[in-house]
Amino acid sequence: MIKFEHVFFQYEYDNLPILEDVNIEIGEGELIALLGLNGSGKTSFFKMINGLLKPSSGRVVVDGMDTKEENLLWDIRKRVGMIFQNPESQIVGTTVEEDVAFGMENIGVPREEMLKRVDQVLDFVGMSDLKHVEPHRLSGGQKQLLCVASTLAMHPKYMVMDEPTSMIDPINRENILKIIVDLYKFGKTVLFSTHILDEIVVTPRVIYLRNGKVVFDGSPVEVIDSVKEEFGTSDFIEFQSNLYRYGFIEHFMDVEKLSERLVSLCQSSSKR
Amino acid sequence: MYDPRTPFEKKALEHVNMEISNGDFVTILGRTGSGKSTLLQLMNGVLRPTSGEVFVDGISTSEKKDSLFEIRRKVGLVFQYPEHQFFEENVFREIAFGPKNFGVENDELDKVVMEAIDLVGLSREVLSKSPFNLSGGEKRKVAIASVISCNPEYLVFDEPTSGLDPLSVRLFFDMLGKFRRSGKTIVIVTHSVKEALQNSERVIVISKGQIVFDGGVQEFIKSKNLMEWGMLPPPLYRLAWRVKEQVEKINIKNDKLSEAINRLKDMVN
């Protein structure tokens, strides 16, 4: 479990509070989308989880370990895999394979196991055939997938992804989103932030940050209803909100599931 | 062509013929690596064509240096990663840099900077901050402000909205609306089919360095080739296409449901 207890944060060079009295619990196996306008504190929130940033006051506790305890950081970071917005900033290997192995080497995974995991994670993100390619030859979307693979190879318990889809094209965006859902299905705890509202249809829980404060925390349907004035909405979300209002759906769905639902609703409506 | 006559020779664009008229709002769509950014960079002479010519108001970008100055003043280019453009110590100086180079000074310079800040929707508090200490979205706005402050006639944006929150995206397009009304020409490169549909009238699709589509947005969304060009229609369209055929013959008796289905059908009819 990840716990934020009265977390306040501000940078030393600035008086502006970035996070203010954040109290939140994230249970194992959850899938959570973090929403908020630019500058609302999403990235700082995520950096708190693996101790890249430490609270100015309050505590962040990962599986019972306080991120302020320097000697626990190693253990915390092994549990929390971080993916940043710009994939360029976290690729280090000279080939795809080496990049995936890099993190594992650092945490001392035995060689045999390492080779096995490289194949596993590359297969998982659909990049097996690119194993020997130099990362700079990859497209933006492939680079982001590589970062996901490299992080996964370390078998983190929590996957924290800061706008993983914001710099890639729509088709790769769908790939990343599918991977997020798969990870969740396999029991990983996944947190991701996004500005693309349509992406929250896959999550059961949305946390909304406003000026560093958690102002909403609930199902996407509830949260969107409360924030659409300030955050905006999308035609896909609005369409589903209406269906929800009339009792046709219980929660938001992706295109595939929603089309199945609509077709079956139509069929049963005509039979009556 | 990049690196011609070397082993790294790579044709980025081929046989491109197009015209952008004054006051147009054009969206250029295409996959990563399709040549979109190359096309943009040809527009203000950052790149020059290996063969063929690019004209801006009758001046060729391949001409001598003096005319390039004129072209770059007319064509304001906002790159994809705004932080790559920053170098000044605070936001004010960053935005003032361009107009200063074009000879704007003192009170007039202050005015130009304030106008630019207001137009992009940044608060004046950021003026004294370092552009490097801003959030991603704020950086983008500073980058746009620093181009607008030069008052170009043509505004060219390379994926301007990636990383912006929905509110900022809306404000961004509202802002473009203002530019448009003041007679400016706007060209945007994006991945987002949705943004193209909502905001522009003309869409140009680039695939493998060639223009494969150039026409109106309605014509574009109805095209069956979207997936082939590497583009994903917005989710509501995908839903409409999936649902439409399967419910075509069903007589829906629930009014609210029928309303929803009709909305979908209207989208793709």
Side-chain angles (χ1 to χ4, degrees), chain A residues 19-240:
Chain A
L19 293 175
E20 248 186 295
D21 201 15
V22 174
N23 289 288
I24 214 139
E25 278 186 18
I26 294 153
E28 274 164 44
E30 282 204 74
L31 171 59
I32 297 175
L34 184 62
L35 294 185
L37 297 176
N38 291 130
S40 60
K42 299 187 295 294
T43 301
S44 303
F45 179 95
F46 281 159
K47 285 182 174 169
M48 287 282 156
I49 300 177
N50 77 345
L52 276 177
L53 292 176
K54 315 263 168 67
S56 307
S57 72
R59 314 200 296 158
V60 175
V61 182
V62 178
D63 292 342
M65 295 177 286
D66 190 326
T67 58
K68 276 185 184 161
E69 307 266 346
E70 285 293 331
N71 56 336
L72 298 177
L73 269 185
W74 173 256
D75 208 0
I76 289 173
R77 291 191 179 147
K78 269 207 287 193
R79 286 167 199 248
V80 182
M82 286 278 278
I83 311 244
F84 298 95
Q85 191 174 350
N86 185 354
E88 307 270 351
S89 63
Q90 50 187 332
I91 293 175
V92 291
T94 51
T95 65
V96 165
E97 181 179 32
E98 261 180 47
D99 192 75
V100 176
F102 178 81
M104 286 190 282
E105 267 174 348
N106 276 343
I107 58 170
V109 176
R111 190 176 158 75
E112 286 299 305
E113 171 69 12
M114 218 154 72
L115 293 173
K116 205 176 88 195
R117 287 196 203 173
V118 167
D119 289 337
Q120 269 175 354
V121 294
L122 286 179
D123 180 52
F124 184 69
V125 301
M127 283 178 60
S128 299
D129 51 338
L130 298 170
K131 198 169 161 183
H132 303 294
V133 171
E134 296 155 42
H136 71 88
R137 297 196 178 274
L138 301 175
S139 75
Q142 288 168 333
K143 281 180 187 162
Q144 192 59 281
L145 288 170
L146 171 59
C147 293
V148 174
S150 301
T151 309
L152 271 182
M154 293 185 278
H155 287 187
K157 189 165 155 192
Y158 305 98
M159 284 288 277
V160 176
M161 304 160 93
D162 191 12
E163 293 188 32
T165 60
S166 80
M167 288 195 172
I168 57 183
D169 65 80
I171 290 182
N172 277 309
R173 193 179 288 156
E174 288 283 302
N175 284 340
I176 294 271
L177 209 57
K178 192 178 163 295
I179 284 169
I180 289 176
V181 174
D182 283 347
L183 287 172
Y184 167 58
K185 282 186 191 151
F186 293 144
K188 281 245 191 283
T189 309
V190 187
L191 289 101
F192 72 102
S193 59
T194 181
H195 284 145
I196 300 159
L197 259 183
D198 296 342
E199 292 178 358
I200 65 164
V201 300
V202 302
T203 67
R205 181 177 172 194
V206 172
I207 294 172
Y208 186 84
L209 280 176
R210 181 199 291 147
N211 299 328
K213 296 190 192 102
V214 172
V215 287
F216 296 103
D217 181 355
S219 72
V221 175
E222 294 161 0
V223 174
I224 283 307
D225 200 45
S226 315
V227 304
K228 66 180 172 201
E229 292 298 321
E230 63 181 275
F231 191 71
T233 181
S234 79
D235 52 1
F236 188 49
I237 294 291
E238 275 303 288
F239 183 77
Q240 297 210 45

Side-chain angles (χ1 to χ4, degrees), chain B residues 101-154:
Chain B
N101 274 345
F102 292 122
V104 181
E105 283 175 327
N106 304 326
D107 289 357
E108 180 62 19
L109 187 62
D110 285 353
K111 196 178 139 232
V112 164
V113 172
M114 294 307 168
E115 276 174 5
I117 281 277
D118 290 346
L119 257 177
V120 297
L122 275 170
S123 80
R124 297 190 173 190
E125 284 159 27
V126 304
L127 284 172
S128 57
K129 286 190 188 172
S130 160
F132 298 101
N133 287 341
L134 302 174
S135 78
E138 289 166 332
K139 280 181 184 165
R140 185 74 42 91
K141 289 179 182 173
V142 171
I144 294 170
S146 61
V147 172
I148 290 170
S149 60
C150 301
N151 197 24
E153 286 165 43
Y154 303 90

Side-chain angles (χ1 to χ4, degrees), chain B residues 157-218:
Chain B
F157 298 92
D158 195 357
E159 302 205 21
T161 59
S162 74
L164 290 188
D165 61 54
L167 180 68
S168 305
V169 171
R170 208 173 67 214
L171 292 173
F172 173 75
F173 282 107
D174 286 351
M175 176 180 84
L176 291 194
K178 279 187 222 161
F179 295 158
R180 187 100 194 280
R181 284 190 288 280
S182 65
K184 298 210 188 297
T185 308
I186 293 159
V187 181
I188 292 184
V189 154
T190 177
H191 285 307
S192 171
V193 172
K194 195 169 172 177
E195 281 173 11
L197 290 177
Q198 284 170 350
N199 300 292
S200 58
E201 289 121 33
R202 177 174 164 202
V203 173
I204 293 173
V205 179
I206 303 222
S207 179
K208 292 170 191 152
Q210 299 194 333
I211 292 181
V212 291
F213 177 91
D214 184 350
V217 281
Q218 286 308 318

Side-chain angles (χ1 to χ4, degrees), chain B residues 6-158:
Chain B
T6 75
F8 306 106
E9 182 178 294
K10 186 177 179 286
K11 251 186 214 163
L13 288 174
E14 232 178 330
H15 299 299
V16 170
N17 289 294
M18 63 174 207
E19 236 182 81
I20 293 172
S21 309
N22 287 57
D24 268 0
F25 192 136
V26 184
T27 302
I28 298 174
L29 289 164
R31 282 210 88 161
T32 312
S34 59
K36 306 185 299 272
S37 296
T38 307
L39 185 66
L40 282 199
Q41 292 178 36
L42 285 168
M43 288 184 191
N44 80 342
V46 171
L47 294 174
R48 297 183 202 184
T50 313
S51 69
E53 274 187 284
V54 178
F55 294 97
V56 177
D57 290 344
I59 313 168
S60 166
T61 60
S62 307
E63 272 176 35
K64 56 184 189 297
K65 258 194 170 162
D66 298 359
S67 49
L68 262 189
F69 185 79
E70 191 55 33
I71 285 172
R72 291 195 178 141
R73 193 183 184 156
K74 281 175 188 269
V75 183
L77 181 59
V78 182
F79 287 99
Q80 187 173 2
Y81 300 113
E83 50 272 37
H84 294 181
Q85 284 167 291
F86 293 156
F87 55 92
E88 282 285 6
E89 65 195 43
N90 66 45
V91 171
F92 180 89
R93 291 174 62 112
E94 188 66 54
I95 298 173
F97 180 80
K100 239 165 124 181
N101 274 345
F102 292 122
V104 181
E105 283 175 327
N106 304 326
D107 289 357
E108 180 62 19
L109 187 62
D110 285 353
K111 196 178 139 232
V112 164
V113 172
M114 294 307 168
E115 276 174 5
I117 281 277
D118 290 346
L119 257 177
V120 297
L122 275 170
S123 80
R124 297 190 173 190
E125 284 159 27
V126 304
L127 284 172
S128 57
K129 286 190 188 172
S130 160
F132 298 101
N133 287 341
L134 302 174
S135 78
E138 289 166 332
K139 280 181 184 165
R140 185 74 42 91
K141 289 179 182 173
V142 171
I144 294 170
S146 61
V147 172
I148 290 170
S149 60
C150 301
N151 197 24
E153 286 165 43
Y154 303 90
L155 281 158
V156 180
F157 298 92
D158 195 357

